Amino acid sequence: MLQTIQGNEALKQSLQAALRAGRLSHSVLLCGEQGCGAGYAARCLAADYLYPQGGAQAQAVMEHRAAECIEVRGEGASGEIKIDRVRQVRRQIFETALSANGRVVIFYGVQKMNQSSANALLKVLEEPPQGVLFILTATGAAAVLPTIRSRCSIHAVAPVSQADCTVWLQQHCPTCETPEMLARIYKGYIGRAAAVAMQPDARKSFETACELAKAIAKQDAYTVLQVLAAYEKDKPAAAQLLLDLSSIAAAALEGDNLFGLTPLQAARTANQCGETLQNMSRNINQKLLLTVLGAHLVG
């Protein structure tokens, strides 16, 4: 499955060589910004570790259906991985028999672990059971505790070229009508582009961001404020919308007058979205933040 990863040739060669030689570390940390495909790469590695011959069982790992592959994600709006979940995984791997193929545990987004859950994970990594591979993903190595980093082999997952992203979308999302535009807006971050192409919620956020971009270009203050007002009580959705709008603005800065945005409008939009996202993380009143943002976007 590793060969299905777009781009990232050095990463694929390194992991495949380690698997063939039987020298893969018992703990692997895959680092890449959101949308780079670190989670996909983690499942590819898990599938090749458990089922090197491929087949239906390897595909089950890719589709989150394999009992031998335990997946751990953050909970709630914060996405925090809590200590109770880490302890639950520890019981699963120490108190149940392993299959002949072994087992894989994937922790997505370990940068969101608190100190307690990170320490609980560290205890498992220090004394791993035979036949269990731990795969961790994070937005960057610096965001992971040094004690955990020291127990892992670290590999970077990079965004692909816009051309490769377009090809991937054309192959895997045949119903996507705008693969070239998505690849351009999301700068080769396949995960983010694929989410828009295949997931209704992500598509809705993207389409709303496009609506906002057009309204900003026309200096339509009423539409901008009306759209933003609908997100006053939904922080995760508001954050995603601003990320999408920021991506559109960044793409518009490269030319072609995307959605009618001028370079000045695009630069202002990208800067204001980034500033608002930072303030949202500080728990400043969201209604006030979005109202001020709307005023700045068409000011």
Side-chain angles (χ1 to χ4, degrees), residues 35-36 158-163 165-166 180-190 192-193 246-254 258:
C36 277
V160 302
S161 69
Q162 292 183 32
C165 185
T166 299
E180 295 88 354
M181 183 177 72
L182 291 180
R184 175 188 168 192
I185 288 174
Y186 293 109
K187 299 291 188 294
Y189 285 72
I190 288 181
R192 295 179 65 188
S246 180
S247 295
I248 290 171
L253 282 170
E254 297 179 356
L258 188 63

Side-chain angles (χ1 to χ4, degrees), residues 18-36:
L19 282 171
R20 286 194 298 267
R23 54 178 177 81
L24 184 70
S25 170
H26 66 79
S27 303
V28 176
L29 175 60
L30 300 176
C31 297
E33 294 180 53
Q34 183 180 358
C36 277

Side-chain angles (χ1 to χ4, degrees), residues 3-298:
Q3 72 274 9
T4 67
I5 298 173
Q6 288 290 114
N8 288 279
E9 294 304 322
L11 168 71
K12 290 187 286 189
Q13 292 174 10
S14 175
L15 292 176
Q16 287 171 332
L19 282 171
R20 286 194 298 267
R23 54 178 177 81
L24 184 70
S25 170
H26 66 79
S27 303
V28 176
L29 175 60
L30 300 176
C31 297
E33 294 180 53
Q34 183 180 358
C36 277
Y40 180 82
R43 292 189 294 280
C44 288
L45 177 58
D48 286 355
Y49 173 80
L50 292 170
Y51 306 109
Q53 303 307 315
Q57 291 175 307
Q59 188 60 37
V61 175
M62 302 303 298
E63 297 174 359
H64 316 279
R65 298 186 289 104
E68 294 82 10
C69 184
I70 302 169
E71 299 183 63
V72 181
R73 300 179 184 273
E75 303 172 14
S78 66
E80 184 179 57
I81 299 175
K82 299 184 178 179
I83 188 170
D84 288 344
R85 184 67 179 107
V86 179
R87 288 171 174 168
Q88 182 185 34
V89 169
R90 179 181 171 85
R91 289 193 296 270
Q92 282 180 272
I93 60 177
F94 279 101
E95 297 175 9
T96 59
L98 298 179
S99 69
N101 300 306
R103 189 172 295 161
V104 174
V105 182
I106 302 176
F107 282 88
Y108 296 101
V110 293
Q111 77 278 357
K112 292 187 177 181
M113 283 186 161
N114 59 37
Q115 188 70 45
S116 297
S117 55
N119 287 338
L121 175 60
L122 180 61
K123 291 179 181 179
V124 181
L125 298 183
E126 288 175 336
E127 299 179 3
Q130 189 70 28
V132 177
L133 171 65
F134 293 90
I135 307 175
L136 285 57
T137 74
T139 52
V144 182
L145 284 178
T147 48
I148 290 180
R149 290 202 309 265
S150 67
R151 302 302 193 279
C152 303
S153 63
I154 303 175
H155 303 267
V157 183
V160 302
S161 69
Q162 292 183 32
D164 283 346
C165 185
T166 299
V167 170
W168 191 94
L169 290 170
Q170 290 170 337
Q171 292 175 344
H172 295 83
C173 312
T175 60
C176 179
E177 298 178 354
T178 57
E180 295 88 354
M181 183 177 72
L182 291 180
R184 175 188 168 192
I185 288 174
Y186 293 109
K187 299 291 188 294
Y189 285 72
I190 288 181
R192 295 179 65 188
V196 171
M198 296 187 289
Q199 298 175 14
D201 287 348
R203 184 68 187 180
K204 179 181 177 182
S205 178
F206 172 74
E207 290 174 347
T208 303
C210 293
E211 180 185 353
L212 270 175
K214 294 173 184 176
I216 292 166
K218 296 176 182 177
Q219 291 291 279
D220 182 353
Y222 175 79
T223 298
V224 169
L225 292 172
Q226 183 183 45
V227 170
L228 291 175
Y231 289 81
E232 291 174 355
K233 296 182 180 180
D234 191 340
K235 188 172 183 178
Q240 186 57 57
L241 176 66
L242 296 188
L243 286 171
D244 289 331
L245 181 58
S246 180
S247 295
I248 290 171
L253 282 170
E254 297 179 356
D256 295 339
N257 200 32
L258 188 63
F259 296 124
L261 289 169
T262 66
L264 179 59
Q265 289 173 325
R268 182 171 59 196
T269 297
N271 289 335
Q272 290 298 326
C273 285
E275 183 177 326
T276 302
L277 284 165
Q278 287 184 344
N279 286 329
M280 284 173 62
S281 69
R282 301 187 182 107
N283 291 322
I284 298 175
N285 183 278
Q286 188 164 312
K287 179 178 180 180
L288 175 62
L289 285 175
L290 293 179
T291 301
V292 172
L293 172 64
H296 285 163
L297 291 177
V298 292

